[in-house]
Amino acid sequence: MIKTKKILYCIIIILFLTIILSSCQLSPNVAYDNFITDLDILYRFEGIAFNIEFGRYSSIFQSDIKYIIRDLETLEIDDKEAVKINNKFLKSANAFLRASINYDNGSKDHAMVVHEYAKNKYEEALTAYYNFVVE
């Protein structure tokens, strides 16, 4: 009788721990928010936009954008919406990089068009991101 009670208690404890541990899994929304927050993506994007806007687009600055692109490419969340939003951030970062290169090379007209596209993609990504994490 005592052995049966011990086994029953062990089974109950194992089931309880399984339920507790499985309920601790992060939702894709929270996981993506953590990803963006941990990499400080939004702050870094604001810095990029500010610097390009005020004529700072050297090759050193361009390497900062390349690092953001590399960081965004490390996303390992298997969720369609998170991937879609992340791709918008990537499109924006790549466009900011192209704009910076064009400005640096003296192609101001082309740079302005690409820069505008980059800002629009960033706004799209930011809106989608906020909508996603608030859900």
Side-chain angles (χ1 to χ4, degrees):
M1 180 76 173
I2 294 176
K3 274 192 165 187
T4 308
K5 282 186 176 181
K6 284 184 180 181
I7 292 173
L8 186 60
Y9 286 136
C10 285
I11 291 172
I12 291 171
I13 290 172
I14 290 171
L15 287 173
F16 179 74
L17 288 174
T18 303
I19 291 169
I20 295 296
L21 293 176
S22 66
S23 67
C24 293
Q25 253 181 341
L26 295 177
S27 71
N29 311 57
V30 172
Y32 189 63
D33 185 37
N34 288 346
F35 173 78
I36 293 296
T37 304
D38 290 347
L39 294 174
D40 209 13
I41 295 296
L42 302 182
Y43 177 77
R44 291 164 67 192
F45 260 104
E46 295 297 326
I48 288 170
F50 177 84
N51 283 321
I52 291 177
E53 194 76 31
F54 290 97
R56 299 179 194 126
Y57 33 76
S58 67
S59 59
I60 293 171
F61 171 69
Q62 292 165 15
S63 67
D64 291 342
I65 301 172
K66 290 176 185 174
Y67 283 116
I68 290 174
I69 292 168
R70 285 187 201 129
D71 284 346
L72 286 167
E73 289 173 339
T74 65
L75 179 69
E76 294 183 359
I77 298 171
D78 189 26
D79 180 80
K80 275 187 197 179
E81 191 62 25
V83 170
K84 185 178 172 183
I85 296 166
N86 204 63
N87 286 338
K88 287 180 184 185
F89 278 121
L90 279 166
K91 285 179 184 178
S92 176
N94 280 303
F96 274 122
L97 179 60
R98 285 192 316 275
S100 177
I101 291 168
N102 285 320
Y103 276 124
D104 201 30
N105 291 337
S107 304
K108 187 176 179 178
D109 291 338
H110 189 255
M112 288 171 57
V113 171
V114 175
H115 184 216
E116 195 60 37
Y117 173 81
K119 290 190 297 185
N120 289 337
K121 279 298 167 194
Y122 176 65
E123 287 299 320
E124 286 178 25
L126 194 58
T127 300
Y129 164 72
Y130 284 129
N131 289 337
F132 184 64
V133 298
V134 169
E135 286 181 352

